[in-house]
Amino acid sequence: MKMENPTPIQWQFSQRAQKLESSVIREILKVTVRPEVISFAGGLPSPATFPVERMRAAFDSVLSREGKVALQYGPSDGYAPLREWIANSLSADGAKIVPEQVLMVSGSQQGLDLLAKVLIDEGSKVLVETPSYLGALQAFSVYQPEFVSVPTDEHGLLPDQVADIGQGARLLYALPNFQNPTGRTLPVERRVALVETCARLGLPLIEDDPYGALSYRGEPLPKMIGMNPNGVIYMGSFSKVLTPGIRLGYVVAPLPLVRKLEQAKQAADLHTAQLTQMVVHEVVKDGFLAEHIPTIRKLYADQCAAMQAALTEYFPSSVTWTKPEGGMFIWVTLPKHIDSMKLLDEAIAQNVAFVPGAPFYANAPQQNTLRLSFVTVPPEKIREGIAKLGKLIAAKI
Amino acid sequence: MKMENPTPIQWQFSQRAQKLESSVIREILKVTVRPEVISFAGGLPSPATFPVERMRAAFDSVLSREGKVALQYGPSDGYAPLREWIANSLSADGAKIVPEQVLMVSGSQQGLDLLAKVLIDEGSKVLVETPSYLGALQAFSVYQPEFVSVPTDEHGLLPDQVADIGQGARLLYALPNFQNPTGRTLPVERRVALVETCARLGLPLIEDDPYGALSYRGEPLPKMIGMNPNGVIYMGSFSKVLTPGIRLGYVVAPLPLVRKLEQAKQAADLHTAQLTQMVVHEVVKDGFLAEHIPTIRKLYADQCAAMQAALTEYFPSSVTWTKPEGGMFIWVTLPKHIDSMKLLDEAIAQNVAFVPGAPFYANAPQQNTLRLSFVTVPPEKIREGIAKLGKLIAAKI
């Protein structure tokens, strides 16, 4: 019944699809799965931190106890007990958050897509940090905004620059804790100033916080949503504190926005897996994260220290890098004339990988930057990889 | 640190978001969760068919054996062994499908969203059946197409009407087996004619097939993708043959399109849960569906027969309805002057629910139609509910 020689289709993609590209990082990751490659390129958490047995027991218990409910369609806004747990955790931190403000999503990347879908028209002005999280730039790009890069210094974005350029913008996207890609943390006084400036402009402020719990020392800084729950949209994730492969995150937003997001969620994929949400609730409801997260912090702090030591030992003195106090990334700035994209080719030839910095810039990329992740590489391999990279860089100076 | 009296935000939503509405069905479902309501409104499969123990054992075994891999980030296109399994199953049915053509998605609703995202611009012409699946209309609407309804008769859409109205359209969306909402099945000769017409026009044909396996008797009809694998986009789902709460479906498309869909998938939510895909592969790889699906068919066939008998007994002779040979739905046409939306209010007051037909029409809704699902209601309740509905209708004639 097969047709003989049908005319092949001339695919006509939508304008937004014509601009879609595969993530540079995902392309690099494909190269770096070879076991001999020392990869600082990943954005993956360390599998050593995954509480596999705890998750297995929770799947077992939820399916044994409430299998038919867990495997049926569920509500678009999410599993009510988990939304309540999230609202309570965030309320402990500042202003009162109600469960109705919480929308469960299939990983916080979906939160970014839904926010862009309901807030961005073609040509809308969207403010991002310099540099910013690549996944956010990708999610937003689909809806064809005009990106405006907010200037930053070594402590992150400069709130006093927002007043000028933020007029009429649709949103400002910030990642205040241990930012991806720079590892920088926005100081408290800048958080206050940023929240106030955005409130004055009527500008929705997105606070993306996947790494906030991964502070190496001391208490986390106050969240911006606590300063103005009616103006800040908070995004959280279970990917870095539990496991990423289950795809579970959440958006906490003012009520008029969260209802619109829920409608968009319904059209996009009906709802996030009920079973996954019930299992995560089972895992976190009795305080498991309070005992589990310190073990992640300790591992990442040690490997970060190992990389800092290796960078000091092996990198030429004209290279600078950030000293993150949490999270998963270090950002390196090379002398101006060195293009990290070209450096990557040489590095891969020597079985070392990293992510070039350029794709993290919405405008005017700085070619002499790169991102290093230390969380999936053991200390002795960190030394070996950084030593090789240092030699390659030194040869260019 | 909370701001005193910040100015509330005047939310400015994107144009597409201003048109978003909550699904009528999901709103009705909220009313019908009261246990005393006999609901024919759901599109939910019967939880009696969920292989809970089998799923529990598979989660247990995958997490015990490969927990760290299952819980890590995975590839955007999906878990390779499951994609291969899908490609093989479809190849058995007709032309050769390769695993590279398969994109795993978070339920086939996401497949609809991604297809619309990469194929539809504002104002693009999109062809749908009369009536069509509501979830597809919703997913497509977000991208603001111009819908054109293809005329249908009691056997489904009329391929000879497509040549005229399909010129320059971006896609034709069809649900050929036991259609939602009508229960109709497109005959073989119409499938052939439709595939040929679309090929001649260079028009991508979407074959959405969530219910295809749920035939009550005989072999399923040949799939359209087998007739022209370079022109047909096939959508499948594990929701109706396994369980919907895990959110797992797939899109099988010609290579240039599937690569574009994969990029859109990456921007939308990175990838579908690796664990879920590994578990489903574990469940299906040794032929479980071949023993499981007949039990679903039997249950649904019996309940469909019970509803047909009740309709014959209790509905006035001026009412007509479809006689599906598989799937989950019966479509009822009332005398022209009866508005099913108004009938619903009266029915709910008597603790019976259904879905009015109007929302399933992209254009020119027929207010005198309604959809009945029989799969989650036991036979004696089917009789009771249909008797009540019949009385309400009879009172209007």
PDB file of all heavy atoms in Angstrom, chain B residues 10-21:
ATOM      1  N   GLN B  10       1.109  45.905  36.226  1.00  0.00           N
ATOM      2  CA  GLN B  10       0.046  45.824  35.214  1.00  0.00           C
ATOM      3  C   GLN B  10       0.517  44.781  34.202  1.00  0.00           C
ATOM      4  O   GLN B  10       1.365  45.092  33.371  1.00  0.00           O
ATOM      5  CB  GLN B  10      -0.129  47.182  34.504  1.00  0.00           C
ATOM      6  CG  GLN B  10      -0.474  48.337  35.437  1.00  0.00           C
ATOM      7  CD  GLN B  10      -1.827  48.127  36.122  1.00  0.00           C
ATOM      8  OE1 GLN B  10      -2.777  47.693  35.483  1.00  0.00           O
ATOM      9  NE2 GLN B  10      -1.884  48.410  37.425  1.00  0.00           N
ATOM     10  N   TRP B  11       0.004  43.570  34.317  1.00  0.00           N
ATOM     11  CA  TRP B  11       0.531  42.502  33.468  1.00  0.00           C
ATOM     12  C   TRP B  11       0.250  42.743  32.003  1.00  0.00           C
ATOM     13  O   TRP B  11      -0.892  42.976  31.613  1.00  0.00           O
ATOM     14  CB  TRP B  11      -0.051  41.148  33.889  1.00  0.00           C
ATOM     15  CG  TRP B  11       0.461  40.769  35.225  1.00  0.00           C
ATOM     16  CD1 TRP B  11      -0.172  40.898  36.424  1.00  0.00           C
ATOM     17  CD2 TRP B  11       1.765  40.273  35.531  1.00  0.00           C
ATOM     18  NE1 TRP B  11       0.641  40.503  37.454  1.00  0.00           N
ATOM     19  CE2 TRP B  11       1.852  40.112  36.934  1.00  0.00           C
ATOM     20  CE3 TRP B  11       2.891  39.943  34.755  1.00  0.00           C
ATOM     21  CZ2 TRP B  11       2.986  39.632  37.578  1.00  0.00           C
ATOM     22  CZ3 TRP B  11       4.022  39.462  35.394  1.00  0.00           C
ATOM     23  CH2 TRP B  11       4.058  39.313  36.788  1.00  0.00           C
ATOM     24  N   GLN B  12       1.300  42.696  31.207  1.00  0.00           N
ATOM     25  CA  GLN B  12       1.104  42.767  29.764  1.00  0.00           C
ATOM     26  C   GLN B  12       1.446  41.408  29.177  1.00  0.00           C
ATOM     27  O   GLN B  12       2.611  41.032  29.092  1.00  0.00           O
ATOM     28  CB  GLN B  12       1.998  43.861  29.164  1.00  0.00           C
ATOM     29  CG  GLN B  12       1.681  44.041  27.689  1.00  0.00           C
ATOM     30  CD  GLN B  12       2.519  45.127  27.039  1.00  0.00           C
ATOM     31  OE1 GLN B  12       3.283  45.822  27.706  1.00  0.00           O
ATOM     32  NE2 GLN B  12       2.377  45.261  25.729  1.00  0.00           N
ATOM     33  N   PHE B  13       0.406  40.671  28.774  1.00  0.00           N
ATOM     34  CA  PHE B  13       0.631  39.342  28.221  1.00  0.00           C
ATOM     35  C   PHE B  13       0.895  39.434  26.723  1.00  0.00           C
ATOM     36  O   PHE B  13       0.492  40.380  26.057  1.00  0.00           O
ATOM     37  CB  PHE B  13      -0.572  38.436  28.499  1.00  0.00           C
ATOM     38  CG  PHE B  13      -0.770  38.159  29.972  1.00  0.00           C
ATOM     39  CD1 PHE B  13      -2.001  38.377  30.581  1.00  0.00           C
ATOM     40  CD2 PHE B  13       0.286  37.698  30.749  1.00  0.00           C
ATOM     41  CE1 PHE B  13      -2.179  38.131  31.943  1.00  0.00           C
ATOM     42  CE2 PHE B  13       0.119  37.452  32.107  1.00  0.00           C
ATOM     43  CZ  PHE B  13      -1.107  37.664  32.702  1.00  0.00           C
ATOM     44  N   SER B  14       1.570  38.412  26.205  1.00  0.00           N
ATOM     45  CA  SER B  14       1.807  38.348  24.765  1.00  0.00           C
ATOM     46  C   SER B  14       0.467  38.199  24.044  1.00  0.00           C
ATOM     47  O   SER B  14      -0.532  37.779  24.638  1.00  0.00           O
ATOM     48  CB  SER B  14       2.722  37.166  24.428  1.00  0.00           C
ATOM     49  OG  SER B  14       2.101  35.945  24.791  1.00  0.00           O
ATOM     50  N   GLN B  15       0.460  38.512  22.761  1.00  0.00           N
ATOM     51  CA  GLN B  15      -0.798  38.389  21.996  1.00  0.00           C
ATOM     52  C   GLN B  15      -1.319  36.963  22.040  1.00  0.00           C
ATOM     53  O   GLN B  15      -2.512  36.720  22.193  1.00  0.00           O
ATOM     54  CB  GLN B  15      -0.575  38.797  20.545  1.00  0.00           C
ATOM     55  CG  GLN B  15      -0.454  40.297  20.381  1.00  0.00           C
ATOM     56  CD  GLN B  15      -0.192  40.674  18.929  1.00  0.00           C
ATOM     57  OE1 GLN B  15      -0.752  40.073  18.010  1.00  0.00           O
ATOM     58  NE2 GLN B  15       0.660  41.651  18.719  1.00  0.00           N
ATOM     59  N   ARG B  16      -0.387  36.002  21.886  1.00  0.00           N
ATOM     60  CA  ARG B  16      -0.825  34.600  21.903  1.00  0.00           C
ATOM     61  C   ARG B  16      -1.434  34.235  23.253  1.00  0.00           C
ATOM     62  O   ARG B  16      -2.407  33.501  23.333  1.00  0.00           O
ATOM     63  CB  ARG B  16       0.317  33.656  21.491  1.00  0.00           C
ATOM     64  CG  ARG B  16       1.357  33.375  22.521  1.00  0.00           C
ATOM     65  CD  ARG B  16       2.498  32.506  21.990  1.00  0.00           C
ATOM     66  NE  ARG B  16       3.378  33.223  21.065  1.00  0.00           N
ATOM     67  CZ  ARG B  16       4.339  34.068  21.458  1.00  0.00           C
ATOM     68  NH1 ARG B  16       4.560  34.305  22.736  1.00  0.00           N
ATOM     69  NH2 ARG B  16       5.088  34.688  20.570  1.00  0.00           N
ATOM     70  N   ALA B  17      -0.870  34.798  24.337  1.00  0.00           N
ATOM     71  CA  ALA B  17      -1.368  34.450  25.672  1.00  0.00           C
ATOM     72  C   ALA B  17      -2.744  35.062  25.924  1.00  0.00           C
ATOM     73  O   ALA B  17      -3.562  34.500  26.655  1.00  0.00           O
ATOM     74  CB  ALA B  17      -0.384  34.921  26.731  1.00  0.00           C
ATOM     75  N   GLN B  18      -2.999  36.201  25.305  1.00  0.00           N
ATOM     76  CA  GLN B  18      -4.310  36.824  25.508  1.00  0.00           C
ATOM     77  C   GLN B  18      -5.421  35.937  24.968  1.00  0.00           C
ATOM     78  O   GLN B  18      -6.558  36.008  25.413  1.00  0.00           O
ATOM     79  CB  GLN B  18      -4.354  38.203  24.837  1.00  0.00           C
ATOM     80  CG  GLN B  18      -3.463  39.213  25.547  1.00  0.00           C
ATOM     81  CD  GLN B  18      -3.305  40.513  24.777  1.00  0.00           C
ATOM     82  OE1 GLN B  18      -4.219  40.943  24.095  1.00  0.00           O
ATOM     83  NE2 GLN B  18      -2.145  41.130  24.887  1.00  0.00           N
ATOM     84  N   LYS B  19      -5.070  35.102  23.996  1.00  0.00           N
ATOM     85  CA  LYS B  19      -6.091  34.219  23.405  1.00  0.00           C
ATOM     86  C   LYS B  19      -6.211  32.878  24.116  1.00  0.00           C
ATOM     87  O   LYS B  19      -7.100  32.095  23.823  1.00  0.00           O
ATOM     88  CB  LYS B  19      -5.783  33.996  21.927  1.00  0.00           C
ATOM     89  CG  LYS B  19      -6.136  35.236  21.125  1.00  0.00           C
ATOM     90  CD  LYS B  19      -5.738  35.126  19.682  1.00  0.00           C
ATOM     91  CE  LYS B  19      -5.833  36.519  19.061  1.00  0.00           C
ATOM     92  NZ  LYS B  19      -5.071  36.661  17.842  1.00  0.00           N
ATOM     93  N   LEU B  20      -5.278  32.596  25.028  1.00  0.00           N
ATOM     94  CA  LEU B  20      -5.316  31.314  25.741  1.00  0.00           C
ATOM     95  C   LEU B  20      -6.534  31.226  26.635  1.00  0.00           C
ATOM     96  O   LEU B  20      -6.877  32.174  27.337  1.00  0.00           O
ATOM     97  CB  LEU B  20      -4.080  31.176  26.630  1.00  0.00           C
ATOM     98  CG  LEU B  20      -2.840  30.530  26.051  1.00  0.00           C
ATOM     99  CD1 LEU B  20      -1.692  30.669  27.046  1.00  0.00           C
ATOM    100  CD2 LEU B  20      -3.097  29.066  25.762  1.00  0.00           C
ATOM    101  N   GLU B  21      -7.151  30.060  26.621  1.00  0.00           N
ATOM    102  CA  GLU B  21      -8.248  29.815  27.550  1.00  0.00           C
ATOM    103  C   GLU B  21      -8.057  28.459  28.181  1.00  0.00           C
ATOM    104  O   GLU B  21      -7.412  27.591  27.614  1.00  0.00           O
ATOM    105  CB  GLU B  21      -9.591  29.822  26.817  1.00  0.00           C
ATOM    106  CG  GLU B  21     -10.057  31.209  26.478  1.00  0.00           C
ATOM    107  CD  GLU B  21     -11.281  31.170  25.591  1.00  0.00           C
ATOM    108  OE1 GLU B  21     -11.918  30.099  25.508  1.00  0.00           O
ATOM    109  OE2 GLU B  21     -11.581  32.201  24.977  1.00  0.00           O
TER     110      GLU B  21
END
